[in-house]
Amino acid sequence: MADKTILKALRGETQSVPPIWMMRQAGRYLPEYRATRAQAGDFLKLCYNPELAAEVTLQPIRRFGFDAAILFADILLLPQALGADLWFVTGEGPRLSTITQQSDFNALKGKDDIHKVLNPVYETVKILAQELPDETTLIGFAGAPWTVATYMLAGRGTPDQGPAHALRMGNNELFENVINLLTVSTIEYLDMQIRAGAEVVKIFDSWAGSLKGEAFEKYAVEPARLITRELKRRHPNVPIIGFPREAGDGYIGFAKKTGVDCVALDNSVTPEWGAANVQVDGCVQGNLKSSHMVTGGQDLIDEVRHVRDTFAKGPHIFNLGHGITPDADPDNVALMIETLRENA
Ligand code: CP3
């Protein structure tokens, strides 16, 4: 177990062939995923069905031999466990009940009352810990408080996170109540994933880039620091990956400020910039453009080599800069892995 390539990278080892996994590796670009999702009925039923959620988690491992499996679930299950209504509109995305006043917040559950709803997720982790190949690392995850709050406050995905920014400025006390509840609940949620068998956890802050200056420090850095500090106290040997997507200069020093073991990079920064400014502090993950999984060809081969070789002097986990899209071709995923490992 100590020899798993992902864990080596997260301990700071430089490897001649970096380990690889892919954001949204279980998803609609795979026909076997679409079949299992149809069997489950819909996306949320799939998330809460441990046998089938484990099955879709394993599908990309069987097909491609990735070095890590990421638990199949969603960042919006936590707000649902806190009492928000959640549903998915096909072709559009998530919808949630909103929080606009203190009484909406007061109606939510507390951090210790989330596990009844989330228990199927922990069951999925337990199945995966049994069934994954010995060399494959199991990654658990949660959304970062800010990103989850943007969905809870708007009731849906938004291009500019407008409603969350409006509350942050218009009723900062209520906004901070939401952030603080999500911070303490995320600790309990990830703690339970680790106790069920997750070997690494990742905190997805997909909308960190819309926080600037002091707001980035208060609502992206600080919650990640609090979550990391408490998880490290409870589980000193479980590495944590942070993903403050589109943070730009906010990526610089993020690992030192928060204590995360690895920073995932998106495509708003080049590999050269990431190596010079972020990998100097430790392990990085990323950052091939997801569009190569649609377009393929020689460009894909060249760009896989470019990303790999630019990060070759330090600890690196190869990944995309964001999730693979439903229009991707599975053959391009195979070509990415083959190219990455060509000198092995
Ligand atoms: O394979 C994996 O990466 C693990 C599973 C996973 C999902 N969502 C499954 C999913 C993970 C890690 C997530 C994280 C997630 N969910 C994020 C953060 C990462 C990111 O993409 O920025 C966010 C913002 C969400 C919220 C969410 N879930 C949205 C906005 C949507 C709709 C958009 C879309 O792609 O359809 C989802 C749905 C979702 N989550 C799907 C999957 C496989 C597609 C649902 C389907 O099968 O219909």
Side-chain angles (χ1 to χ4, degrees), residues 49-206:
N49 182 321
E51 301 291 333
L52 296 183
E55 166 58 23
V56 294
T57 307
L58 291 165
Q59 286 168 351
I61 307 304
R62 287 190 206 115
R63 191 193 259 254
F64 302 115
F66 283 114
D67 296 293
I70 184 157
L71 163 70
F72 190 84
D74 197 85
I75 65 165
L76 300 178
L77 304 187
L78 179 62
Q80 187 170 41
L82 285 167
D85 295 328
L86 172 70
W87 66 104
F88 280 79
V89 179
T90 312
E92 291 186 35
R95 294 290 183 276
L96 297 90
S97 49
T98 55
I99 295 168
T100 55
Q101 49 198 354
Q102 186 63 37
S103 57
D104 301 329
F105 176 81
N106 295 343
L108 294 174
K109 293 184 198 155
K111 69 174 171 64
D112 297 317
D113 300 323
I114 59 177
H115 302 306
K116 197 162 173 264
V117 170
L118 295 171
N119 196 51
V121 176
Y122 313 142
E123 290 301 315
T124 305
V125 175
K126 284 183 198 160
I127 296 171
L128 289 167
Q130 292 284 321
E131 298 207 349
L132 278 169
D134 289 343
E135 65 277 13
T136 314
T137 302
L138 178 55
I139 303 176
F141 72 94
W146 161 250
T147 286
V148 175
T150 67
Y151 290 93
M152 284 181 89
L153 298 174
R156 58 188 299 161
T158 47
D160 58 358
Q161 297 73 59
H165 285 293
L167 192 74
R168 173 170 76 77
M169 290 179 290
N171 186 347
N172 190 254
E173 192 186 336
L174 176 56
F175 174 78
E176 292 203 345
N177 285 342
V178 173
I179 294 287
N180 293 341
L181 175 63
L182 287 170
T183 301
V184 294
S185 304
T186 300
I187 290 168
E188 301 310 324
Y189 183 35
L190 290 175
D191 174 70
M192 289 296 276
Q193 291 183 29
I194 293 167
R195 289 207 255 159
E199 301 169 278
V200 173
V201 294
K202 178 169 174 184
I203 305 167
F204 284 87
D205 209 349
S206 304

Side-chain angles (χ1 to χ4, degrees), residues 21-28 33 37 43 46-47 70-76 88 92-94 141 143 147 151 157 204-207 243 245 322-323 326:
W21 68 280
M22 192 174 69
M23 282 186 267
R24 291 277 172 101
Q25 62 190 25
R28 287 162 291 182
Y33 170 84
R37 183 176 175 277
F43 172 66
L46 178 54
C47 290
I70 184 157
L71 163 70
F72 190 84
D74 197 85
I75 65 165
L76 300 178
F88 280 79
E92 291 186 35
F141 72 94
T147 286
Y151 290 93
F204 284 87
D205 209 349
S206 304
W207 300 114
F243 184 34
R245 193 170 72 90
H322 200 195

